[in-house]
Amino acid sequence: MLHDGFKTDKLVIFLLFFMLPFWLLLLPVVVLYLQAVGTKEWREFGRTEVIDNTRNPDFVRKFVLDFFFEEKQNLRFDVYNVDSRSCNISKHDFLGQTFCTLGEIIGSTGGRLERTLSGIPGKKCGVIIFAAEELSNCRDIATMQLCANKLDKKDFFGKSDPFLVFYRSNEDGTFTICHKTEVIKNTLNPVWQPFTIPVRALCNGDYDRTVKVDVYDWDRDGSHDFIGEFTTSYRELSRGQNQFNVYEVLNPKKKGKKKKYINSGTVSSPTSTSICNPSQPTSLHYMSPYQMNAYAMALKAVGEIIQDYDSDKLFPAYGFGAKLPPDGKISHAFPLGGDGDNPNCVGIEGVLEAYFQSLRTVQLYGPTNFAPVINKVANCAAEITDGSQYFVLLMITDGVISDMVQTKEAVVNAASLPLSIIIVGVGPAEFDAMEELDGDEVRVSSRGRLAERDIVQFVPFRDYIDRSGNQVLSMARLAKDVLAEIPDQLLSFMKSRGIEPRPALSSSPLPELHRHI
């Protein structure tokens, strides 16, 4: 806007407030007042958020002001300790105040001004730091969702209570907080709610400016535990529909002390969610003309290796969790090809073709039930237990399992059959329950019965996505890990049944791997 012939600039003021320890617990808030030019009256402009239990708050909420070079713009900052739910600021404990002009902040070195708080006789009230930066004209709004996997455990009696803190980089190389996520309690694999943030608040419209993200474990007393950090940019966070950005969370202190330290977990930024229509780019099932979606990548990665061990190359392929035409009946085990009498697809390409065709004809629908498909394949495996055939069931899902009790029962029953189950989780969902099915640590049990063998391998696909976007490398990593246990699982079944390898020169056919999808 124009004012007396001078163009105004939009400025954002960031606050860092360092408090001296004369209160044990603080819930600080800063109130900004502007002084009217004519009446000299102080009018409240805005307040920061309240931060729990800290004497060194770093406020997320900023003040955006119009700057007039030709005017003296007087500012007053009052600091309070919030001790009730009252909106009346006078009802709270006064901690100190300071005065300055907007020009002083802008004219300070690096746009950063430090002032001592005063206002309580005989007390040192602490220090407040201001930083200001001119806002760009960028009006873009970013919407993003993040999830983490295998974060470090910080709580003695639980896992961790993770949250993320985003920092924008300043022109002087420092960082200023710009967003905090909510806290997700007692998990090492959190999925945070989607959030929106103005791009100019995240990076001032510079898509390549560094964005730093810290990962913390929340503590009630405000002494949050640092898990690790990573850096990115808005361009990187928003790149490419239907891609995953996976970042290693690194803790510099742990990295310096432990030679075998790899990371403190990963954070991924899926730009898509599966609840949308598959024809939309925001769906995990989106059929892009330029690249495969995560489902297709998992199918192709595993299928192209294991199909070499199947003589007829016919793969039964089923979908689960959809409304089927023409009456919209919900099914949790339907042939992808649409032929109820013949679920077989010819080769991995036939499976992919059936998958894409089904997306055009069925309506994706919850809940996510595993047991029906496992039982269907187990029934096939139960018919051939002489060692001539071995079955591998690949299940790909983006949802949290809804029938865990029934699925555990199905797995326990299937463990005595020539069958292995591979589960690949795609997307940002919370997959903690899947770990219970993967019996590497504790064997799956149901109604007091332990599974005879460990037959389930679960992996979240986000752990294998190559950060540079190389799909071939991502698929190779996935296939190597999920297929590594199959030979031992096959041998464990054969040994449990006393089935000996056939002589090398025998004309009898070798045991055949049958793959179900």
Side-chain angles (χ1 to χ4, degrees), residues 82 84 131 154 168 171 238 316 332 338 347 366 382 398 402 433 451 466 486 495 499:
V82 175
S84 73
K154 291 291 186 178
R168 57 182 283 167
E171 294 177 352
S238 61
H332 298 289
D398 57 30
S402 304
D466 180 64
I486 297 298
K495 289 179 179 179
I499 301 173

Side-chain angles (χ1 to χ4, degrees), residues 394-452:
L394 170 64
M395 303 184 73
I396 308 171
T397 180
D398 57 30
V400 177
I401 189 168
S402 304
D403 63 339
M404 177 58 80
V405 173
Q406 294 86 347
T407 297
K408 289 168 68 176
E409 176 76 6
V411 169
V412 170
N413 292 336
S416 62
L417 301 172
L419 172 64
S420 290
I421 302 172
I422 297 170
I423 304 174
V424 178
V426 298
E430 173 64 83
F431 291 121
D432 274 5
M434 301 297 187
E435 301 289 352
E436 189 176 351
L437 298 177
D438 191 333
D440 288 342
E441 301 295 332
V442 179
R443 189 69 58 84
V444 179
S445 64
S446 175
R447 296 191 293 184
R449 292 189 304 134
L450 284 174
E452 184 179 312

Side-chain angles (χ1 to χ4, degrees), residues 41 87 95 235 324 362 372 490 510 513:
E41 177 186 0
C87 293
L95 299 180
R235 188 183 303 281
L324 307 184
V362 306
L490 184 149
L510 294 172
L513 284 176

